[in-house]
Amino acid sequence: MNPILVCASLLFAAPVFEPLPIPLPSGTTQIFLARADEDEAADLFLLQGRRMTVRLDAGGERRITLPEGTGAFDVADLDADGLSEILAIRGDDLLEVDTLTSTSTEGLPRVLFKANSLYSAPSADPFPQVLVATFNLQLCVILPVSGALRAYSIEGTLLEEFPVSAANSAVPALREGVDAVSLTRPGTAPSGETWLKCYQTIEMAPNLPAELAPAPVSHFTTWSASHEVAAPEDEGGLPAGMEEGEYAGMWDCSSLQEDAARMRLLMCRTDDTGNSLVFLYDVPLISGELNWAEAKRSPIRKYPGRVVRSDFEPDIEYSQRADFNGDGYVDLVLADAPRPGTSVDSLVRTVLGRTWPLRLTVHLFVPEKERFDPKPFGVIDCKVPVTWFFGREPLRNVCIADFDGDKMTDLGFSAEESEFQVWLAADGFGDQPDWSYKFPGPIERIETVADVAGNGRMSVLLRCERTLFLLRAP
């Protein structure tokens, strides 16, 4: 290929991200994404007390003050005009608040109807919840009451009541189980329609008809004392035989692959040498239930390094699946570091050097061999601060997502406290990151990852001390 053409293509290649700084008000701020205007892109909502700021993806800003006494609220297109409104609950009143015509003064809410629910109790501050859904092709409001969910029309007509199952009836409030934010799945809804999804714990899932039930939560459950999360009771706790032999102990569990006939679980843990032990659990499904009695385990295999996972709570459709070749199977991402020598000189050099080498490797799952390939698909060599090894993980702000829209997972992380770099997976990784950005101060955390532009490319929202940075995929 002509070297001049190669240089030209690199020069005009589109950047992975376009950083957009968003100043944060002082104090506690709730942050979430939802669709406010008529385009298909997600907009950014910042909520501090009752004061809400909406940063529109198309440009511009709106300020709304939620009515005093507001508790739960949601963002949805209530009147089918292509623009979203806020559904706010204040006591027994369900209020509609305009998101685009309100000014910095308090908006004039309209009472849609009255209904008593578990959200009627007084609340110190508003909190986002999933309240609006589509049932029988009709937009409705879902309200929890003691022992049931009730579906109302937007005008307040009770459409149907869905009892909570007997196993869940002892739960006093649905809010405990619906750990939700009003997330529009950007770009996937038809024009003029807002899709709202919610996270639900398995213990809180009521018996709903298929038309109303939320999308199934991706099977990503941690069975580990360090995470302080127990195995779900309705799956029978730990599978039979886990308490004995080499399979005994606590394992991190995630879904490798699932179809109508079986679920394949990936079980991982770190041994005393800092390497990962991995085996697969193949569990048949009978009428949708896990049949542990017929489950089969693969041999336990060892891989160099610790398993790397994303550092943020995913939305239920993203589910932080590491699939670097797009074959539908989860792949392993491992981090390994050489051990410093035990001599005094070696330890002193380590401390004075301030950084330490870290190697990231990706191992693809090979279905024909029923194991992960011991030869890495891709390798990333970097250096991170020595002090990061004193914490739980040596990498910060890890993000496993498809940044370039090619249906294959890419990798983003911080190797310095104020830098974020992206490595695109294209038959492995290059010698240098495909994109990196130096922020004016330390990165505190990843707020969220979403397909903001609706083009299949994940954008990242990072928080610094007084500023949010939206790394927007163009």
Side-chain angles (χ1 to χ4, degrees):
M1 181 179 287
N2 189 320
I4 297 178
L5 294 180
V6 173
C7 293
S9 65
L10 292 175
L11 181 64
F12 293 105
V16 178
F17 288 127
E18 297 171 354
L20 173 65
I22 302 169
L24 270 175
S26 59
T28 302
T29 304
Q30 297 185 65
I31 304 164
F32 60 95
L33 293 169
R35 193 180 66 103
D37 53 10
E38 62 272 9
D39 64 24
E40 295 297 321
D43 305 297
L44 183 66
F45 286 67
L46 307 175
L47 178 64
Q48 187 176 44
R50 293 191 296 121
R51 297 190 302 276
M52 179 181 291
T53 301
V54 184
R55 297 289 299 258
L56 300 177
D57 178 78
E61 183 176 283
R62 298 291 186 271
R63 297 181 183 274
I64 303 110
T65 301
L66 294 177
E68 186 173 356
T70 296
F73 70 90
D74 200 354
V75 179
D77 184 3
L78 300 177
D79 53 10
D81 64 350
L83 305 177
S84 294
E85 291 78 38
I86 297 172
L87 176 70
I89 298 181
R90 182 183 61 189
D92 289 349
D93 290 337
L94 278 84
L95 309 174
E96 177 187 1
V97 181
D98 198 328
T99 61
L100 293 183
T101 59
S102 298
T103 65
S104 57
T105 60
E106 186 163 334
L108 299 176
R110 179 171 72 92
V111 178
L112 295 175
F113 63 92
K114 293 179 178 288
N116 184 266
S117 70
L118 295 177
Y119 293 134
S120 297
S123 176
D125 290 302
F127 52 91
Q129 292 284 284
V130 175
L131 302 172
V132 182
T134 300
F135 174 58
N136 286 343
L137 303 179
Q138 180 179 355
L139 203 65
C140 62
V141 178
I142 307 297
L143 297 178
V145 295
S146 181
L149 288 178
R150 289 176 179 169
Y152 293 86
S153 70
I154 298 299
E155 295 76 24
T157 302
L158 179 60
L159 302 175
E160 197 154 348
E161 182 170 307
F162 309 100
V164 176
S165 64
N168 304 328
S169 59
V171 180
L174 192 65
R175 183 184 173 189
E176 297 292 330
V178 183
D179 181 16
V181 292
S182 298
L183 283 173
T184 299
R185 185 66 177 139
T188 60
S191 178
E193 180 182 343
T194 300
W195 286 4
L196 300 173
K197 305 293 184 183
C198 65
Y199 304 104
Q200 279 191 314
T201 60
I202 295 174
E203 293 82 359
M204 289 297 298
N207 293 327
L208 301 181
E211 304 96 317
L212 187 62
V217 177
S218 174
H219 292 276
F220 186 87
T221 305
T222 299
W223 291 335
S224 170
S226 63
H227 291 258
E228 297 180 353
V229 178
E233 291 182 1
D234 62 344
E235 292 187 4
L238 291 174
M242 286 290 289
E243 298 83 1
E244 301 176 357
E246 61 179 336
Y247 297 95
M250 309 302 289
W251 296 81
D252 284 345
C253 173
S254 58
S255 174
L256 175 76
Q257 187 259 353
E258 180 181 0
D259 55 34
R262 61 178 181 167
M263 180 189 297
R264 306 173 79 183
L265 301 175
L266 170 60
M267 313 295 288
C268 305
R269 73 180 180 198
T270 305
D271 65 12
D272 295 336
T273 65
N275 293 312
S276 291
L277 301 178
V278 175
F279 75 94
L280 306 180
Y281 233 121
D282 198 324
V283 189
L285 293 172
I286 300 179
S287 300
E289 299 293 329
L290 296 172
N291 180 17
W292 290 112
E294 302 296 329
K296 297 179 180 179
R297 295 179 298 211
S298 73
I300 297 176
R301 293 184 171 89
K302 181 183 292 188
Y303 293 86
R306 297 174 179 268
V307 175
V308 176
R309 302 191 190 279
S310 288
D311 282 350
F312 67 98
E313 292 295 330
D315 82 44
I316 56 180
E317 293 188 17
Y318 168 63
S319 74
Q320 68 180 356
R321 295 181 65 86
D323 182 5
F324 289 86
N325 60 346
D327 64 353
Y329 292 92
V330 168
D331 303 315
L332 272 183
V333 186
L334 302 173
D336 193 22
R339 292 177 177 271
T342 56
S343 68
V344 174
D345 287 344
S346 176
L347 294 175
V348 169
R349 286 196 301 271
T350 300
V351 173
L352 293 180
R354 297 187 179 181
T355 62
W356 193 251
L358 186 70
R359 168 164 286 196
L360 303 178
T361 58
V362 170
H363 299 261
L364 302 180
F365 183 73
V366 184
E368 311 85 61
K369 298 182 179 180
E370 290 290 311
R371 63 175 173 82
F372 294 95
D373 194 340
K375 180 181 178 180
F377 159 80
V379 177
I380 297 174
D381 288 307
C382 60
K383 290 186 177 182
V384 299
V386 171
T387 53
W388 287 9
F389 287 91
F390 302 149
R392 182 177 169 189
E393 301 294 346
L395 272 184
R396 303 290 168 88
N397 307 313
V398 178
C399 181
I400 300 173
D402 180 7
F403 298 128
D404 55 2
D406 63 356
K407 309 299 183 183
M408 293 185 288
T409 303
D410 307 303
L411 188 60
F413 60 87
S414 294
E416 299 178 19
E417 64 176 9
S418 59
E419 182 187 46
F420 186 76
Q421 54 184 246
V422 169
W423 300 73
L424 301 178
D427 197 21
F429 300 107
D431 295 330
Q432 298 294 325
D434 296 275
W435 185 89
S436 65
Y437 189 79
K438 197 83 170 180
F439 295 87
I443 301 170
E444 294 184 358
R445 64 178 178 270
I446 295 176
E447 285 288 347
T448 190
V449 174
D451 181 6
V452 171
N455 57 7
R457 303 179 61 178
M458 290 293 182
S459 298
V460 182
L461 187 65
L462 293 169
R463 179 194 282 264
C464 294
E465 183 180 10
R466 296 296 302 273
T467 308
L468 289 172
F469 283 88
L470 177 61
L471 307 184
R472 191 181 189 280

